[in-house]
Amino acid sequence: MKEILPLFVFIDACGWEIIKDRPFAKALAPNRKRLTSVFGYSSACVPSILSGAWPVEHRNWCYFVYDPANSPFKSLRPLRWLPQRLTSRRIFRRWLSKFIKVQLNFRGYFDLYNIPFKYISLYDFTEKRNPLQPGGMNRGPNIFDHLEHRAIPYHVSSPNRSEKDNLDALANDIRNERIDFAFLYWPGLDGLMHSVGNQSAEIAAKLNLYERWLEQLLSVTGQHYAETRLHIFSDHGMANCDQLLDLKGKIDALPLIMAEDYAVVYDSTMARFWFFNDYARQQVTQCLNHVQEGRIVPDSELADLGALFADRYFGELIFLVNEGVLIVPSHMGERPIRGMHGYQPTEKQSHAVLCTNDTRIPDQISAIPDIYRLMIRDAEDAAARNSLANGSKPHATMSDQFHTQPGRYNPAVRA
Ligand SMILES: [Zn+2]
């Protein structure tokens, strides 16, 4: 029997608005708090949770960037001759994405989405490593680097396994009392709500299943650890997409040539532009200023959100739509989906959540990168207590866990 297990359960897209009026996990983790999310998609939020850093610091933000010199996709250009009715099909693209991922040795999540083969060799993909592993960040360390460095034994989910298989793998490590820290990742609710929206009855069913799994897991933990410090949390919420915006149609109608005058990535809620002449910059800016469904995000706001990149690596101009608007068609999808996230983090459905069985959540914990500090605190605590009970020399403790200003990017203390 070990003293304590810190158990961090990450439920993707389980936003504050999704669970605030539901009894989900209240008996297991009664202390709840709304957290501010990070501007971007899971490609930005997950690395921020795992590293305590903001996008400008870890440089994991949006998946695709204009970078022809470094594009790994040059070999795909001949595919532009294939008929579009084949190349725009999700099943074909999923199969091809898997093939490319192996060929290019990408370690994280990879999907070609809806990037046209005509332009694919203009782009680079920015998540070549797996953020759920040590060395997984584009810049700086994550929690797993820390655990390895401190020789604290841990368990982390693998994105290649199903949710249930990841649950079973963790239960095994708990039964063996092998670990002093656990990180369980469930992406299924996110996928579900992308297709059914945030009001469907299927959400309650999914949350009930998660609750049953958590009860089973805690009952196993209770037989092997005297205490379980449970944290259930998310990266963002989910908004219903009630309004569709054909932004590409508007930009294509301008007297400009893609790849000669400008380049663009159409994400689902953002369009990111690179300009090759002033005329293109002026034309696109003027056009975007007339689109009521969104706005150009000023640099001052990007800086506040920790997403202003000095080298403009992710785009020189960022256009963002209002909550509930979906850019379609986009480079993420040809057809509409019911739910999306990646809006301004202050929008209602953007907020994430933290639920714990700890007696209190420190006031300093207010945004999702702060979860990293809880993980460090609890991992250190568990390593010390478990090794002390075991009669071995305790790990040295960390002292400066809560020195930064909570809730927002603060370059003065985070640089
Ligand atoms: Zn998602």
Side-chain angles (χ1 to χ4, degrees):
M1 186 93 167
K2 277 191 161 183
E3 282 287 304
I4 182 166
L5 180 71
L7 175 54
F8 284 81
V9 180
F10 177 5
I11 302 181
D12 204 307
C14 185
W16 175 253
E17 291 295 322
I18 307 296
I19 65 150
K20 75 173 175 34
D21 298 323
R22 296 178 195 265
F24 173 66
K26 265 192 174 163
L28 309 172
N31 199 357
R32 293 171 158 205
K33 188 170 183 175
R34 190 181 86 162
L35 297 185
T36 304
S37 187
V38 161
F39 181 38
Y41 306 96
S42 295
S43 55
C45 297
V46 177
S48 287
I49 289 169
L50 295 174
S51 69
W54 296 75
V56 70
E57 298 165 309
H58 54 58
R59 292 181 70 85
N60 290 69
W61 197 42
C62 296
Y63 279 147
F64 289 93
V65 292
Y66 173 76
D67 191 357
N70 291 307
S71 176
F73 304 120
K74 293 185 182 80
S75 61
L76 297 182
R77 281 206 80 214
L79 296 179
R80 69 190 184 280
W81 303 115
L82 288 175
Q84 214 204 337
R85 69 177 183 280
L86 174 67
T87 60
S88 68
R89 288 187 62 186
R90 276 303 291 156
I91 191 159
F92 174 74
R93 285 186 166 257
R94 278 214 189 100
W95 171 82
L96 193 63
S97 299
K98 274 187 192 157
F99 179 74
I100 292 167
K101 186 181 165 180
V102 173
Q103 296 298 309
L104 298 178
N105 205 19
F106 290 169
R107 298 292 176 180
Y109 177 80
F110 176 68
D111 194 321
L112 275 170
Y113 292 100
N114 196 36
I115 301 259
F117 291 118
K118 185 177 173 193
Y119 299 126
I120 189 88
S121 60
L122 301 177
Y123 299 107
D124 193 6
F125 184 73
T126 64
E127 193 186 283
K128 299 189 178 77
R129 312 176 202 186
N130 178 2
L132 286 169
Q133 288 291 312
M137 308 294 297
N138 282 345
R139 182 189 282 169
N142 64 19
I143 179 68
F144 307 109
D145 290 300
H146 179 88
L147 295 168
E148 297 262 343
H149 176 68
R150 302 275 295 139
I152 298 173
Y154 64 94
H155 176 98
V156 59
S157 293
S158 162
N160 300 325
R161 281 195 294 247
S162 72
E163 294 190 320
K164 180 67 166 64
D165 286 351
N166 273 315
L167 175 74
D168 293 344
L170 172 55
N172 262 337
D173 274 349
I174 290 171
R175 279 189 201 99
N176 295 330
E177 300 181 13
R178 187 187 71 77
I179 51 173
D180 290 341
F181 180 88
F183 191 99
L184 182 62
Y185 177 40
W186 282 334
L189 181 68
D190 178 75
L192 173 69
M193 289 195 295
H194 277 303
S195 59
V196 302
N198 64 24
Q199 296 295 323
S200 164
E202 289 180 60
I203 297 168
K206 185 77 179 171
L207 290 174
N208 284 342
L209 178 65
Y210 283 160
E211 203 165 39
R212 280 207 306 280
W213 283 352
L214 286 170
E215 283 162 3
Q216 288 166 17
L217 191 63
L218 287 174
S219 119
V220 175
T221 310
Q223 293 163 35
H224 298 275
Y225 292 78
E227 183 186 345
T228 306
R229 180 83 53 81
L230 174 65
H231 287 95
I232 304 167
F233 59 94
S234 62
D235 47 353
H236 50 69
M238 185 73 68
N240 285 340
C241 301
D242 294 320
Q243 216 181 337
L244 306 179
L245 171 64
D246 180 10
L247 192 65
K248 183 175 177 295
K250 292 180 196 289
I251 298 296
D252 284 352
L254 297 173
L256 301 172
I257 299 173
M258 164 69 183
E260 281 184 30
D261 296 312
Y262 72 98
V264 61
V265 176
Y266 296 104
D267 298 318
S268 310
T269 65
M270 279 187 238
R272 296 174 287 118
F273 292 89
W274 292 258
F275 300 111
F276 311 136
N277 56 63
D278 283 344
Y279 180 69
R281 179 186 297 274
Q282 176 219 323
Q283 285 285 313
V284 169
T285 305
Q286 207 171 45
C287 170
L288 294 175
N289 281 334
H290 286 96
V291 179
Q292 301 297 316
E293 294 90 341
R295 65 200 172 85
I296 296 168
V297 187
D299 280 2
S300 56
E301 188 176 334
L302 289 170
D304 282 347
L305 295 167
L308 180 65
F309 297 85
D311 59 0
R312 307 281 163 170
Y313 182 63
F314 291 92
E316 296 169 26
L317 182 156
I318 313 295
F319 179 81
L320 172 68
V321 295
N322 308 325
E323 186 172 274
V325 177
L326 183 74
I327 297 175
V328 76
S330 75
H331 288 153
M332 296 292 111
E334 189 68 21
R335 283 167 280 278
I337 50 173
R338 185 70 192 104
M340 196 54 218
H341 49 87
Y343 300 98
Q344 221 284 354
T346 56
E347 299 261 29
K348 188 180 174 197
Q349 298 287 346
S350 287
H351 296 284
V353 72
L354 172 65
C355 311
T356 178
N357 64 355
D358 203 357
T359 44
R360 62 181 289 269
I361 299 171
D363 293 342
Q364 297 95 324
I365 305 300
S366 62
I368 58 170
D370 300 328
I371 294 167
Y372 174 76
R373 294 188 284 163
L374 288 179
M375 293 195 287
I376 296 276
R377 181 197 70 181
D378 286 2
E380 290 290 335
D381 185 37
R385 284 172 60 186
N386 290 344
S387 62
L388 208 58
N390 197 24
S392 52
K393 196 168 152 277
H395 291 243
T397 52
M398 306 260 297
S399 57
D400 60 343
Q401 299 310 316
F402 298 106
H403 65 286
T404 54
Q405 183 184 344
R408 64 185 292 271
Y409 172 60
N410 187 341
V413 291
R414 290 172 190 271

